[in-house]
Amino acid sequence: MPSEWIAGDDQARALQGEWTLANYRSIKSAIARSEIGKKSQEHISLKAITRLDTAGATLVVELIGIEKSRTVAQWADELPKEQQALLIRIAEAMDAPLDVEPPSYSRISQALASVGQHMVALWSQQRQLLAFIGLVVATLCHLLLRPRRWRLTATVAHIQQSGLNAVPIVALLTFMVGAVVAFLGATVLADFGATVYTIDLVAFSFLREFGVLLAAILLAGRTASAFTAQIGAMKSNEEIDALQAQGLAPIELLVIPRVMAMLISLPILAFVGMLSGLAGGAMVATLSLDISLTQFMSTLQKDVSVVHFLVGLSKAPIFAFVIAVIGCLEGFKVSGSAQSVGAHTTSSVVQSIFMVILIDALAALFFMEMGW
């Protein structure tokens, strides 16, 4: 049946008119009514087509087939070159597989790519940390001259949570580590008949390193994760957005009290850790090494300078600031889901412990070069 778009009989058909997107539905209906293309011996002519675009070319390719469309220049040379090229391009696109196989890489390439991705992520993370440290320092300097804006209640509450509540676990852990260090030192030094130097070993190790380092690691796992979870939960519940809508600064309201609490708590905990470690060493010396408590104290006073105590305690504020800033930053990076809160809480603990150990190693090298 002849139509506006298709003319001829069952043996020879001619496509005519404007095969464009504007006429797509009409052409599609005409094709369905005429059942064109159902017979393999049917000849289809294209010379009566006056206009052709991508939509019309797709219908033509469906009618005459992909293989015949690729050779359209041979049997329909009366068609303009542009339309021939369009039909060939559409046929190639329709013949291409939809599922593209991902390129395969060697294991070495994949390992190098993974290392590169981790390095880029680490660099981005450190840049964010430096920027956040600058923001916290700027806010802290701004508040120092405005005592009325200090949030003493929040600071005292965080001191109790991060400092006072952590005293038992810090004291217990450093006491046991002090006992272990004394046992190990005595075991090695006994071969040289120098068991008495176990006192110096325990004193130097806890005054310079273990006292502040163990307290910082405990707070990195205990307090940094708490800071991240608290701020992350507020971020998930859109409470931080509500604070900003009320004109309140989240850094001033949430970060500064936590930073100040850590700056006060960690030196105190480090001092407690030093005393507990010395107490653990003294217990082992008294019970196992036949060193009296009086001898332990007199040797400690004679051989150990107060410089070692000051060196160890000087690292506590730096550790406290880094732990608090990392914990708060990871809380602000939470995206809004419970899974994100857990991921950033874990990240804050790992980053805090890593940075504490890194700074401690650099400080040890610095103090050694300075002769302190």
Side-chain angles (χ1 to χ4, degrees), residues 133 221 225 255 277:
I133 288 175
S225 59
V255 178

Side-chain angles (χ1 to χ4, degrees), residues 8-206:
D9 53 20
D10 293 340
Q11 297 299 323
R13 299 292 185 97
L15 306 184
Q16 59 186 11
E18 297 182 356
W19 285 57
T20 59
L21 180 60
N23 304 321
Y24 185 87
R25 289 187 178 181
S26 301
I27 299 173
K28 194 77 172 175
S29 301
I31 293 174
R33 291 194 303 268
S34 64
E35 298 184 352
I36 185 173
K38 298 295 183 60
K39 300 177 181 180
S40 59
Q41 71 275 15
E42 187 176 13
H43 176 72
I44 299 177
S45 174
L46 307 179
K47 61 182 180 180
I49 295 179
T50 57
R51 290 184 61 190
L52 185 68
D53 64 2
T54 305
T58 304
L59 294 176
V60 173
V61 172
E62 291 176 352
L63 285 176
I64 64 179
I66 294 176
E67 295 299 329
K68 195 173 182 180
S69 299
R70 287 180 170 177
T71 60
V72 68
Q74 301 175 8
W75 57 272
D77 54 353
E78 70 278 1
L79 208 62
K81 298 297 183 181
E82 295 81 1
Q83 296 182 2
Q84 293 179 15
L86 179 59
L87 288 173
I88 294 172
R89 186 67 188 90
I90 294 297
E92 292 175 350
M94 294 177 66
D95 192 37
L98 296 178
D99 297 331
V100 180
E101 296 183 359
S104 58
Y105 301 101
S106 63
R107 292 185 177 180
I108 297 178
S109 299
Q110 293 177 352
L112 292 176
S114 177
V115 171
Q117 291 175 354
H118 283 85
M119 292 303 296
V120 171
L122 179 61
W123 173 245
S124 175
Q125 189 177 65
Q126 295 307 310
R127 288 182 60 189
Q128 290 179 351
L129 179 60
L130 288 175
F132 192 73
I133 288 175
L135 181 61
V136 172
V137 171
T139 306
L140 189 59
C141 294
H142 178 73
L143 291 178
L144 286 178
L145 303 177
R146 295 167 176 81
R148 290 182 299 177
R149 300 181 63 175
W150 295 354
R151 300 188 178 274
L152 298 179
T153 303
T155 303
V156 172
H158 289 301
I159 290 174
Q160 180 182 2
Q161 295 174 4
S162 61
L164 184 60
N165 294 343
V167 168
I169 184 65
V170 170
L172 177 62
L173 179 66
T174 51
F175 180 84
M176 292 188 295
V177 173
V180 170
V181 170
F183 270 123
L184 293 177
T187 302
V188 175
L189 295 173
D191 297 336
F192 302 96
T195 308
V196 69
Y197 288 105
T198 303
I199 303 173
D200 301 79
L201 174 64
V202 173
F204 289 149
S205 60
F206 271 88

Side-chain angles (χ1 to χ4, degrees), residues 288-299:
S288 301
L289 306 180
D290 294 330
I291 298 176
S292 65
L293 184 60
T294 303
Q295 183 182 358
F296 186 94
M297 296 301 297
S298 62
T299 304

